Amino acid sequence: MYIPSQFEQPDIEVMHELIRNRPLATLVTLDSNGINANHIPLHLSPMPEPFGVLRGHIARANPLWHDLAADVETLAIFHGPDAYISPSWSCD
């Protein structure tokens, strides 16, 4: 994934703090049917260092729990603060 240098965050503790404060992740996976995205709350266990382990619960009704392949990478996206700015907003 391309990350412009001004948006790069090399400090793992800062990333861990974001995960702890906003644990609802968009979990992006790939299975035999294609790409899937699910919103899953994840808990960060800080060990093993330096990255830790993410753990979460997937409902049995969600096909993700049996389609997830151990040898395929998964992407967890944690979102920071956000807001909508209307196109009609003016800073006058």
Side-chain angles (χ1 to χ4, degrees):
M1 182 170 102
Y2 170 70
I3 302 173
S5 60
Q6 67 268 30
F7 299 120
E8 185 177 13
Q9 178 50 263
D11 188 334
I12 292 171
E13 185 50 42
V14 170
M15 290 187 283
H16 280 188
E17 185 171 335
L18 171 69
I19 293 168
R20 286 189 295 270
N21 290 334
R22 297 187 175 267
L24 182 62
T26 303
L27 201 62
V28 181
T29 58
L30 176 65
D31 64 26
S32 59
N33 296 316
I35 296 173
N36 293 299
N38 288 269
H39 296 289
I40 307 286
L42 295 175
H43 173 75
L44 173 67
S45 296
M47 300 305 281
E49 291 184 340
F51 301 113
V53 173
L54 294 171
R55 292 187 169 89
H57 172 78
I58 301 168
R60 286 191 191 266
N62 186 335
L64 175 65
W65 77 269
H66 60 78
D67 289 341
L68 200 56
D71 59 340
V72 177
E73 290 185 353
T74 297
L75 175 66
I77 303 170
F78 294 90
H79 305 274
D82 59 61
Y84 175 76
I85 299 175
S86 169
S88 64
W89 182 74
S90 172
C91 46
D92 294 335

